[in-house]
Amino acid sequence: MNRPCPCHSGAPFAECCEPRLSGLRPAETAQALMRSRYTAFCEGAIEYLVTTHHSTSRGTTEHTDIARSIAATDWLNLVILDTQKGGLNDTKGTVTFAAAFRPKPPRTGDLGQMHERSHFIRDAGAWVYTNGEQLGPYRPGRNDPCWCGSDRKAKRCHG
Ligand SMILES: [Zn+2]
Ligand SMILES: [Zn+2]
């Protein structure tokens, strides 16, 4: 099955985040790791989320926390807004993104937005997430695509 990747890269899952989640092809860049971690939340890949989180910034209840978050949330869209370093020859990188989510049924609730600047480092050759800063609401330009993933212009949607 060649379904589109949940990270909204436009590439098929099998050629985008799946080989990262399965360990076949580790993320070469910070952005690729960020995308694959978003996809891991969509796919319920808890172990991947734990192992790609830098060990010193992991909480003792991380496994449970991630499982709870996955069980409670449907992730709807990912927009990468900015990438600083994090390339093939870098050891640090920053990726800023906006992600859209909703509470998973049977819970109900409004569409939410996560706007975060995530920090990554290369640890023993592999990119890992260290921490992120939550930012204020991201508003695209009025004629830009809405952050919710509706394919409508922001001004006709959540702009
Ligand atoms: Zn992907
Ligand atoms: Zn919208």
Side-chain angles (χ1 to χ4, degrees):
M1 198 173 76
N2 220 5
R3 64 185 166 106
C5 193
C7 81
H8 294 264
S9 62
F13 182 45
E15 292 165 27
C16 188
C17 294
E18 189 177 34
R20 317 226 186 270
L21 267 52
S22 69
L24 213 60
R25 203 170 70 219
E28 297 91 350
T29 64
Q31 193 196 115
L33 183 74
M34 195 273 128
R35 288 185 171 282
S36 70
R37 284 179 48 86
Y38 171 88
T39 297
F41 273 102
C42 299
E43 298 290 312
I46 299 170
E47 290 307 326
Y48 185 79
L49 288 164
V50 174
T51 52
T52 56
H53 192 178
H54 192 247
S55 50
T56 59
S57 38
R58 265 182 226 158
T60 49
T61 58
E62 174 136 330
H63 202 280
T64 320
D65 295 346
I66 292 170
R68 194 171 293 147
S69 159
I70 286 172
T73 313
D74 270 330
W75 292 94
L76 308 174
N77 194 37
L78 173 67
V79 188
I80 304 284
L81 301 169
D82 186 53
T83 302
Q84 300 290 332
K85 300 214 184 317
L88 297 177
N89 299 315
D90 295 316
T91 51
K92 283 182 180 185
T94 300
V95 181
T96 306
F97 67 91
F101 62 91
R102 245 186 232 294
K104 210 172 243 181
R107 288 171 68 233
T108 54
D110 291 337
L111 180 76
Q113 184 195 76
M114 182 182 201
H115 185 198
E116 183 181 304
R117 187 182 297 124
S118 291
H119 300 283
F120 301 89
I121 60 164
R122 209 192 274 276
D123 184 33
W127 284 106
V128 290
Y129 171 71
T130 54
N131 65 316
E133 301 149 53
Q134 301 308 313
L135 307 173
Y138 162 66
R139 297 262 166 262
R142 288 171 48 74
N143 288 312
D144 291 335
C146 188
W147 55 269
C148 77
S150 63
D151 288 330
R152 285 189 294 187
K153 290 182 177 181
K155 65 182 176 189
R156 298 193 203 289
C157 197
H158 296 93

